Amino acid sequence: MEESGMFKNLKAELDSIMDRDPAARTQLEVFLLYSGFRAVRSYRWANWFYRHDMKLIARYISQRARHKTGVEIHPAAKIGKGLFIDHGMGVVIGETAEIGDYCTLYQGVTLGGTGKDQGKRHPTLGNNVMVGSGAKILGPFKVGDNARVAAGAVVLSEVPPGATAVGVPARIVRINGEKSYELDQINVSDPVEQEMADLQNVCTALGMQVEMLMDRLESYQKDRANKKEP
C-alpha cells in the first residue's frame, strides 16, 4: 500500500466518522476506540497483501481483526473511501462484495451470497448508501447511490438509486429521488403500512357514499309515501 494513499484513506475515514457520528468527540478517540474504524483499517492492509498475492497473510490479518472487532471483511472485497461501520459487531462483508464511497453500515449487517451463484456472489453498494442494523443484502446485484436499507430488512434484488428497501423480503419505496445524508433507521416508509392506510381510506370513502345513497333512498321512499296519501 502506497504511504500517501494509506494516509489519504485514513484521513477520509476519520473525517467521515466525525461528520456522521454525533457521539464522536475527537479523531483520536475514533482512531483508538472505534471497532468499526479499526476493522476497516485492518481491511486496508489485508487487501494490499491480497492484491500482492500474499493471501495467507491477508487472511490472517482479516481473521485477527474479526476476533478483535467482531467485524469480518474478506480481504478480496472492494471498499471505497469513507466507509463508516457504526458499532460494528456482527458485520460480515463477503469476498466479492463492493462498497462505494461514504457508505454507512450498522451492527449486524451482512453483505453475503445466496449459495447459488458462482463468480460474483455478493452485492455491490453505490455511493452514500446507508444499511440499517441487522439488515441482510444477499446476492450479486446492485444497491444504487444514496439508497437506504431499513433495519432488519432482507434484500434479495436490486435497489434503485435514492430508494429505500423495507421488510422481509424487502420491498422498494422511492424517496423523492434526492440525495439523503440522514442516518435514520426508524423514519422510513413501510409500503405494507402505506397500502393498508390507502385501503382504509378507500373503505372510508365507500362507506360515505353508501350512507349518501341510503339517505337518498330513504328520502325517495318518504316522497312516494307522501304522494300516495289521499
Side-chain angles (χ1 to χ4, degrees):
M1 183 181 293
E2 295 182 2
E3 187 175 356
S4 60
M6 178 184 70
F7 285 108
K8 186 177 180 181
N9 285 331
L10 184 68
K11 185 178 185 306
E13 273 137 25
L14 285 170
D15 289 342
S16 72
I17 292 172
M18 293 299 298
D19 288 343
R20 289 179 282 170
D21 185 2
R25 293 176 294 183
T26 67
Q27 289 190 342
L28 181 62
E29 179 183 53
V30 173
F31 184 86
L32 295 176
L33 302 177
Y34 273 47
S35 61
F37 173 77
R38 184 174 182 180
V40 174
R41 193 171 77 237
S42 295
Y43 155 79
R44 301 291 181 198
W45 284 110
N47 179 254
W48 186 90
F49 282 106
Y50 194 92
R51 289 186 288 107
H52 288 80
D53 204 27
M54 291 180 273
K55 294 182 172 58
L56 180 61
I57 297 175
R59 290 291 283 172
Y60 172 78
I61 293 172
S62 67
Q63 288 302 302
R64 188 170 184 274
R66 174 180 177 270
H67 287 294
K68 293 287 186 179
T69 67
V71 177
E72 182 173 350
I73 306 175
H74 195 285
K78 297 178 181 178
I79 298 177
K81 61 186 177 182
L83 173 63
F84 176 29
I85 300 178
D86 197 9
H87 303 294
M89 184 62 66
V91 170
V92 177
I93 300 174
E95 179 183 10
T96 62
E98 299 178 45
I99 301 176
D101 296 338
Y102 300 107
C103 291
T104 301
L105 309 180
Y106 286 90
Q107 68 273 17
V109 166
T110 298
L111 305 183
T114 62
K116 299 178 181 179
D117 301 296
Q118 300 294 325
K120 171 67 171 168
R121 309 184 306 281
H122 303 93
T124 295
L125 307 189
N127 299 325
N128 303 302
V129 173
M130 190 279 288
V131 185
S133 58
K136 315 299 177 188
I137 306 177
L138 307 175
F141 52 84
K142 184 170 184 179
V143 177
D145 294 348
N146 310 307
R148 294 193 295 169
V149 178
V154 177
V155 184
L156 302 174
S157 59
E158 184 171 345
V159 179
T164 299
V166 179
V168 181
R171 300 177 65 183
I172 303 303
V173 178
R174 182 74 63 174
I175 50 169
N176 301 324
E178 295 180 358
K179 197 170 184 179
S180 174
Y181 292 101
E182 294 181 3
L183 305 184
D184 189 345
Q185 303 182 75
I186 299 173
N187 297 316
V188 292
S189 300
D190 185 337
V192 176
E193 182 181 358
Q194 185 61 51
E195 287 184 9
M196 293 296 292
D198 292 343
L199 182 59
Q200 184 176 12
N201 291 336
V202 170
C203 290
T204 300
L206 288 174
M208 293 176 64
Q209 291 181 12
V210 169
E211 287 182 5
M212 289 176 60
L213 290 173
M214 292 298 293
D215 289 341
R216 290 181 181 179
L217 178 60
E218 184 178 355
S219 177
Y220 173 75
Q221 289 175 337
K222 286 182 178 179
D223 289 342
R224 289 195 62 183
N226 291 334
K227 289 179 179 179
K228 289 181 179 180
E229 291 179 0

